Amino acid sequence: MPDADLDALDQAILSRLQVDSRTIAESIGAQVGLSAAAVQRRIKRLRETGVIAKEVAVVEPKAVGAHMTFVVSVEMERERIEVLEAFRKQVLTDGAVQQCYYVTGSADFVLVVVCRDMTEFEAFTRRMFFDNGEVRHFTTSVVMDRVKVGLTVPLNGG
Amino acid sequence: MPDADLDALDQAILSRLQVDSRTIAESIGAQVGLSAAAVQRRIKRLRETGVIAKEVAVVEPKAVGAHMTFVVSVEMERERIEVLEAFRKQVLTDGAVQQCYYVTGSADFVLVVVCRDMTEFEAFTRRMFFDNGEVRHFTTSVVMDRVKVGLTVPLNGG
DNA sequence: TGTGAAACCAGCAGCTA
DNA sequence: TAGCTGCTGGTTTCACA
């Protein structure tokens, strides 16, 4: 559902909801010059058309004992479609993988991985890379600071 | 606020809210064996203690014309604290930067950047890298597929 | 815009560790 | 005692006409 052409009002609504999805319609309406009901109608439409993909709670990793984050670049042995597909599936089912991007360049995949500690990360690398004959090489970067973390998308009128 | 020791009930609640923050308390309660009021109390506490950092709407990038995603590794000229701090600030204010991690290894920062098209990305690299004398080198990977994108944190009882 | 339904929130009492 | 539960009434927010 690409480009569900959104007017400035929709964009203003989205820019609020991207920051705080609990903002009540009345408050948004006051800001953008719309009645609460009108705002709710637009939000409903944004949900139905898939512009708003989902609404989620963001959990502070440290608060649940997930103290370490890693950025891992992965290079596959061969770029056969089956190999890539199998790796995709593995990634999707593994809870430690927060994000995975299939990219151009020297690496094939870039992963963001969240673990309790180094031991857990080692277990992760074993099940994901060493036990997988199709992984040629991987490079780990330890995250020292999560400078900016979000899924916010730039909106022209944002 | 590290390790606000959460029991299995809290974890079960979080695992639902991480996927869909609009899940109503009654539904969660039915699943975990708790009254709606009790669930609401716990959610409130999780918000107040910062375990739930925020609740956000996730916007489908393509739906708002953001068709391209990039993973960019950045190496700074010198690792002086001022230089790093200045870069941090720039990152935080730039809407195209969705995520930024300060990492160990050959790169200093890893960015996830979202743009409408290549032209916009070129403008981004100019203002962020070329106009910044402290950036020694950067490497761009174009994202072909966002295999897995989220901020979900693994919960032991998840 | 307004009305009905639904979800959330605060106060109270009882139970358990 | 402290903390948590379930219950209930009052309020806010939402959804639909």
Side-chain angles (χ1 to χ4, degrees):
Chain A
M1 36 227 64
D3 273 278
D5 50 39
L6 314 166
D7 60 17
L9 261 30
D10 286 323
Q11 294 191 352
I13 293 171
L14 285 177
S15 73
R16 287 288 301 262
L17 295 181
Q18 274 197 126
V19 175
D20 179 8
S21 61
R22 283 169 55 80
T23 314
I24 67 174
E26 186 183 4
S27 160
I28 298 176
Q31 181 176 321
V32 305
L34 227 52
S35 76
V39 172
Q40 283 167 351
R41 196 175 326 129
R42 282 168 179 264
I43 293 175
K44 181 179 180 180
R45 205 166 62 79
L46 291 169
R47 289 193 186 115
E48 289 170 350
T49 57
V51 176
I52 295 178
K54 53 184 178 175
E55 282 149 275
V56 301
V58 178
V59 173
E60 176 61 41
K62 281 197 283 288
V64 295
H67 294 282
M68 305 201 70
T69 304
F70 305 86
V71 178
V72 186
S73 296
V74 182
E75 186 185 346
M76 304 303 283
E77 196 64 62
R78 285 159 291 188
E79 301 199 5
R80 280 190 17 246
I81 190 77
E82 304 162 7
V83 172
L84 300 179
E85 204 54 45
F87 189 78
R88 267 192 178 83
K89 281 208 176 70
Q90 201 179 347
V91 152
L92 289 174
T93 58
D94 197 305
V97 180
Q98 188 179 72
Q99 301 172 54
C100 173
Y101 301 95
Y102 177 50
V103 300
T104 63
S106 59
D108 291 312
F109 293 96
V110 175
L111 312 185
V112 176
V113 180
V114 177
C115 293
R116 301 188 70 80
D117 49 40
M118 217 49 178
T119 304
E120 201 175 285
F121 182 70
E122 283 175 19
F124 167 79
T125 59
R126 164 160 299 187
R127 70 173 176 271
M128 189 64 94
F129 304 136
F130 292 120
D131 292 352
N132 185 338
E134 299 293 347
V135 172
R136 181 202 298 270
H137 181 69
F138 71 94
T139 308
T140 301
S141 293
V142 181
V143 172
M144 291 183 283
D145 186 23
R146 301 157 71 240
V147 178
K148 188 176 192 178
V149 180
L151 299 178
T152 309
V153 176
L155 307 169
N156 286 339
Chain B
M1 39 227 57
D3 272 278
D5 52 38
L6 313 166
D7 61 16
L9 260 29
D10 286 324
Q11 294 191 353
I13 292 170
L14 285 176
S15 74
R16 287 288 300 261
L17 295 181
Q18 273 197 128
V19 175
D20 180 8
S21 62
R22 284 169 54 81
T23 313
I24 67 173
E26 186 184 3
S27 161
I28 298 176
Q31 181 176 324
V32 304
L34 227 51
S35 78
V39 172
Q40 284 163 354
R41 262 191 301 264
R42 292 173 99 106
I43 293 175
K44 180 180 179 175
R45 206 165 59 80
L46 292 169
R47 288 194 186 113
E48 289 171 349
T49 56
V51 176
I52 295 178
K54 53 183 177 176
E55 282 148 276
V56 302
V58 179
V59 174
E60 176 60 42
K62 282 198 281 291
V64 295
H67 294 284
M68 305 201 70
T69 303
F70 307 86
V71 178
V72 185
S73 296
V74 182
E75 187 186 346
M76 303 304 283
E77 196 63 62
R78 285 159 292 188
E79 302 199 5
R80 280 192 16 247
I81 190 77
E82 305 163 7
V83 171
L84 301 179
E85 205 53 46
F87 188 77
R88 267 193 178 81
K89 281 207 177 69
Q90 201 179 347
V91 152
L92 289 174
T93 59
D94 198 306
V97 180
Q98 190 178 69
Q99 302 172 54
C100 173
Y101 302 95
Y102 177 49
V103 300
T104 64
S106 60
D108 290 313
F109 292 96
V110 175
L111 311 184
V112 176
V113 180
V114 176
C115 292
R116 300 188 70 80
D117 49 40
M118 218 48 180
T119 303
E120 200 176 285
F121 182 69
E122 282 175 21
F124 166 79
T125 59
R126 164 159 302 186
R127 71 172 176 271
M128 189 63 94
F129 304 136
F130 292 120
D131 292 353
N132 186 338
E134 300 292 348
V135 172
R136 182 202 295 269
H137 180 67
F138 70 94
T139 308
T140 301
S141 293
V142 181
V143 171
M144 292 183 282
D145 185 22
R146 300 159 71 242
V147 178
K148 187 176 192 178
V149 180
L151 298 179
T152 309
V153 176
L155 306 170
N156 286 341

